[in-house]
Amino acid sequence: MENKIHQIEQEALAEIEKATDLKSLENVKNKYLSRNSEFNNLKKGMKDIPNEKKPLIGSLLNKVSQKLTSLIDEKNQIFYQKELNEKLLKEKIDITLDGEYIPQGHVHPLSQTINEIVDIFNYLGFSLIDPKLSPEVEVEKYNFDLLNFPKEHPAKDMQDTFYCTSAKNVILRSQTSNAQAREMMNTKPPIKIISPGRVYRNESVSARKNNLFHQIEGLYVDKNVTMTQLKGVLNEFIRLYFGSSRPTRFRSSYFPFTEPSVEIDVQCIMCQGKGCPTCSNTGWLEILGAGMVDPNVLRGVNIDPEVYSGFAFGMGVERLTMLKYAIDDIRLFFNNDERFLKQF
Ligand code: DAH
């Protein structure tokens, strides 16, 4: 029995010595120390050993199995460290290498302007219209008739407005003013809304004109709304949008749906009022149309002009963006040239 134990010990020691990695060491461990190992079978055979020899054989078995276990554990530690180091070395990251550039998109400059203007008017007490009341595909009634356009007004001409060929009176709206009558028919005063969106005109495209562009409409109807309030609100808007330093002027004008009507100019951003080609040497640039809502328009939507009054305004988003950033061609907004868009 003792010889057998020593023989197995020698074999095991030789195999531990030969093991070169965690895997082979694990195999040795299974072979000599697991429950079904030869060594363990010897332990099971203890019952057949004569009593007087039991202490000796028992302690020898324990000694050898402890020796093998600790040798295997020791080597196991060494292999584990070695393999871990190799793995770490392989997975090492060079933090000095250039990162991979992932380009990020951002909000289009026109959307930025719309957001900015909406924020300003929210601050001044105007809320966004329900989009259902401001459709892009419209009927003539809301785009023209209820806004007091006479039957033969040139804006209604097919040269100026896109008409649907398959449905009578259906157009692409030519102005966000279409929202005015819809809002007033839907809501009782006080009304204080803005309505941003796309509009369409049948024009030849140039640096100054595109046949799709954006407007923001505003409408305020209540008792005792005055022209002074209109001036106050729009001056405050201009101050907030351009910064306080920009001079403005109100010029009288004409729109079928407002009386009196005005157009507002800001001092030319290119020449600071001295006169240049951008402002046709006038020193001023027109930025919006506005006026007191015509009593005929109020009557058309069943609001009594003896009781209520209102003001309205409409501004071009492209124009306002071009003036703020000195952009000289409206087509840049629609070409999706990243070199342009990236600047905003
Ligand atoms: N809808 C006009 C246009 O497209 C702009 C405008 C002028 C809107 C006067 C208004 C207004 O609400 O009161 O030229």
Side-chain angles (χ1 to χ4, degrees), residues 13 21 65 84 183:
L13 287 175
D21 55 15
S65 107
L84 185 69
E183 174 67 23

Side-chain angles (χ1 to χ4, degrees), residues 51-188:
N51 274 347
E52 68 277 13
K53 277 205 138 187
K54 266 186 183 151
L56 189 83
I57 300 293
S59 96
L60 184 61
L61 273 171
N62 278 342
K63 232 172 70 195
V64 172
S65 107
Q66 271 166 18
K67 183 177 169 190
L68 295 180
T69 307
S70 78
L71 268 176
I72 288 174
D73 285 352
E74 219 172 87
K75 256 197 134 165
N76 194 69
Q77 263 304 314
I78 294 168
F79 287 155
Y80 174 77
Q81 265 310 327
K82 191 171 151 235
E83 287 183 21
L84 185 69
N85 286 344
E86 281 166 5
K87 194 168 166 210
L88 287 178
L89 212 64
K90 245 193 268 166
E91 288 175 4
K92 199 167 127 186
I93 298 168
D94 183 352
I95 55 165
T96 63
L97 280 177
D98 280 345
E100 198 177 325
Y101 172 67
I102 301 170
Q104 223 179 359
H106 67 90
V107 181
H108 190 280
L110 292 178
S111 302
Q112 286 184 34
T113 302
I114 292 174
N115 293 343
E116 200 178 326
I117 295 174
V118 168
D119 281 351
I120 292 173
F121 280 105
N122 280 344
Y123 165 69
L124 295 172
F126 289 75
S127 39
L128 265 183
I129 195 171
D130 176 349
K132 282 201 295 292
L133 300 173
S134 180
E136 280 177 44
V137 179
E138 186 51 288
V139 287
E140 282 188 276
K141 180 178 153 190
Y142 293 101
N143 195 84
F144 295 128
D145 303 342
L146 285 170
L147 291 172
N148 204 32
F149 279 69
K151 280 259 166 309
E152 303 303 325
H153 194 283
K156 296 175 85 169
D157 198 289
M158 303 235 310
Q159 301 302 317
D160 294 310
T161 300
F162 288 111
Y163 279 78
C164 176
T165 47
S166 55
K168 202 165 178 283
N169 288 334
V170 175
I171 60 166
L172 292 178
R173 68 169 169 194
S174 64
Q175 50 183 354
T176 46
S177 308
N178 71 323
Q180 287 192 23
R182 285 182 178 275
E183 174 67 23
M184 288 189 283
M185 287 168 106
N186 188 65
T187 320
K188 293 230 164 326

Side-chain angles (χ1 to χ4, degrees), residues 147 149 174-178 180 199 201 213 215-219 230 254-255 257-258 260-263 286 288-293 311-316:
L147 291 172
F149 279 69
S174 64
Q175 50 183 354
T176 46
S177 308
N178 71 323
Q180 287 192 23
V199 299
R201 297 216 185 143
F213 57 101
Q215 287 187 332
I216 297 180
E217 190 79 8
L219 177 68
L230 177 152
Y254 171 78
F255 299 101
F257 42 98
T258 44
S261 302
V262 290
E263 279 175 304
E286 182 226 316
L288 60 85
M292 300 305 292
V293 180
F311 67 72
F313 54 87
M315 55 187 80

Side-chain angles (χ1 to χ4, degrees), residues 241-242 246 266-270 278 285-287 318-327:
Y241 180 73
F242 286 106
R246 194 148 296 272
V266 292
Q267 193 186 63
C268 179
I269 187 175
M270 304 291 193
T278 304
L285 293 160
E286 182 226 316
I287 58 157
E318 282 75 1
R319 191 104 219 251
L320 284 165
T321 313
M322 290 166 83
L323 290 181
K324 191 163 178 173
Y325 301 108
I327 297 163

Side-chain angles (χ1 to χ4, degrees), residues 13-28:
L13 287 175
E15 286 193 41
I16 292 171
E17 182 64 33
K18 266 202 286 180
T20 49
D21 55 15
L22 282 176
K23 183 104 191 76
S24 47
L25 198 63
E26 178 76 16
N27 291 339
V28 178

